Amino acid sequence: MTRFGYFLSCEEYTPEQLLDQARRAEEAGFDALWISDHFHPWTDAQGQSPFVWSMIGAISQVCDLPVTTAVTCPTVRTHPAVVAQAAATAAVLLGEGRFVLGVGSGEALNEHVLGDVWPHTERRLEMLEEAVDVIRRLWEGEVVSHEGTHYRVDTARIYTRPDTPPPIYISAFGPKALDLACRIADGFITTKPDAESVATFREARGVDAPTQAGFKVAWGPTRDEAIDAAYALWPNSGVPGELSQVLPSPQHFEQAAELVTREAFAEKGAFGPDVAEHVEAYVPFVDAGFDEVYVANMGPHYADLLAAYGSDVLPELRSRS
């Protein structure tokens, strides 16, 4: 049966609101949490971007749901040795088997902030593969020295570790990233109901290889109010192609999002209080065979969404899965 989780969007909500959402998600019967790892929001209107590792520590004290980072980029802004230590501590705080390190090749939006050159796609995937190797070696608890193409580690050892190293899932939206996931990942993450990629990943990693997907919707008193609130905050979700990986600032995303009309935005997703519309938004992910599907709310009415999903939407989706 498909499991359903809730996506904590650090770009939109304050730390206090994120903790409130984590509590409410557990009370509503969600199975797990995703949490985003950003330095910047996508647009200034979103307005937030708390440090993910601080948030995970706080979440561990207010609910018992497992957490996946969706996703961390361990290549440019943060050295993989530091990510390895942060993730190991998160796994200890959350408890055995309740943390997954979701990783990806990242976006210039977050990774350029130290002045590093933003690499091309092939280089970013090379860096990600080496980073994952460094992280896994450090999680073994031995002293690690590493002289690689992209990273150096000098006699480093992580002392605070869980008994079992966390799994590492890789986010993949194109064939090159999917190929990397098929070679080295413990699980696969995406945001589209892509049954073909699920099948490809499981053919490579085994029929039980875990897969996760997330999708944004917006609850509200009416459909129009929900669309207006979501469109004001997340017009960037309609920006096409590789722009999301290469644009360097919220201001650039705002400029690109001017090309996304309200009408086009409203065609993608579920908006308002219609339970059936929300169910239908996630059925394609269930049909595609994902093990875990994560619900993200856009706008201020997250408490109403969590309550409605707990009472009506999730039971219907679980019956279909």
Side-chain angles (χ1 to χ4, degrees), residues 12 31 37 51 72 107 138 141 163 195 201 232 239-240 247 269 299 317:
E12 181 180 348
D31 300 306
D37 182 356
F51 190 51
T72 291
E107 304 94 12
L138 285 164
D163 292 336
F201 181 74
V239 172
L247 294 178
L317 286 170

Side-chain angles (χ1 to χ4, degrees), residues 107 118 120-121 124 239-247 253:
E107 304 94 12
W118 183 236
H120 57 74
T121 300
R124 296 202 305 270
V239 172
E242 295 184 30
L243 287 176
S244 292
Q245 281 72 54
V246 300
L247 294 178
F253 276 95

Side-chain angles (χ1 to χ4, degrees), residues 18-24 26-27 33 55-65 98:
L18 293 170
L19 295 181
D20 184 44
Q21 289 177 26
R23 292 188 198 96
R24 289 174 183 268
E26 185 172 37
E27 292 168 358
L33 298 170
M55 289 309 310
I56 292 173
I59 289 165
S60 74
Q61 303 304 298
V62 301
C63 81
D64 293 322
L65 294 179
R98 289 179 48 225

Side-chain angles (χ1 to χ4, degrees), residues 35 64 95 102 110 161 178 186 192-193 225 249 272 279 290 293 309:
I35 187 166
D64 293 322
N110 303 302
R161 297 175 293 110
L178 181 60
D186 299 310
K192 297 183 184 301
E225 288 177 84
S249 74
V279 170
F290 285 95
V293 179
Y309 269 64

Side-chain angles (χ1 to χ4, degrees), residues 40-287:
H40 290 141
W42 298 98
T43 67
D44 279 351
Q46 291 168 8
Q48 295 293 325
S49 198
F51 190 51
V52 69
W53 304 109
S54 300
M55 289 309 310
I56 292 173
I59 289 165
S60 74
Q61 303 304 298
V62 301
C63 81
D64 293 322
L65 294 179
V67 177
T68 299
T69 55
V71 293
T72 291
C73 179
T75 60
V76 177
R77 170 172 49 104
T78 310
H79 192 282
V82 177
V83 172
Q85 184 190 24
T89 300
V92 171
L93 284 168
L94 287 164
E96 191 69 23
R98 289 179 48 225
F99 176 73
V100 172
L101 178 61
V103 299
S105 59
E107 304 94 12
L109 174 71
N110 303 302
E111 305 306 317
H112 81 283
V113 296
L114 302 181
D116 299 276
V117 173
W118 183 236
H120 57 74
T121 300
E122 289 78 6
R123 180 65 57 83
R124 296 202 305 270
L125 292 173
E126 284 178 12
M127 295 172 74
L128 181 60
E129 183 167 7
E130 186 177 336
V132 168
D133 178 64
V134 168
I135 291 167
R136 284 178 169 150
R137 289 175 60 193
L138 285 164
W139 282 348
E140 293 174 0
E142 305 299 324
V143 176
V144 174
S145 292
H146 173 82
E147 292 279 346
T149 303
H150 304 289
Y151 303 106
R152 293 182 179 180
V153 179
D154 184 9
T155 57
R157 180 182 177 189
I158 293 178
Y159 284 81
T160 300
R161 297 175 293 110
D163 292 336
T164 304
I168 296 178
Y169 293 9
I170 289 181
S171 171
F173 299 105
K176 294 177 182 178
L178 181 60
D179 178 68
L180 177 62
C182 287
R183 288 193 289 107
I184 71 169
D186 299 310
F188 164 59
I189 293 175
T190 190
T191 58
K192 297 183 184 301
D194 186 350
E196 184 177 350
S197 292
V198 169
T200 299
F201 181 74
R202 289 187 175 141
E203 183 178 357
R205 304 299 292 175
V207 293
D208 295 324
T211 57
Q212 297 181 340
F215 187 67
K216 292 183 176 66
V217 296
W219 199 266
T222 68
R223 193 172 195 276
D224 280 342
E225 288 177 84
I227 292 170
D228 288 341
Y231 182 61
L233 293 166
W234 290 90
N236 60 284
S237 64
V239 172
E242 295 184 30
L243 287 176
S244 292
Q245 281 72 54
V246 300
L247 294 178
S249 74
Q251 292 72 37
H252 288 95
F253 276 95
E254 289 163 5
Q255 292 166 17
E258 291 178 3
L259 302 175
V260 181
T261 66
R262 182 185 184 278
E263 291 72 23
F265 180 86
E267 291 175 358
K268 301 177 180 179
F271 300 94
D274 185 340
V275 167
E277 184 174 347
H278 285 262
V279 170
E280 291 307 313
Y282 288 98
V283 165
F285 293 92
V286 174
D287 291 345

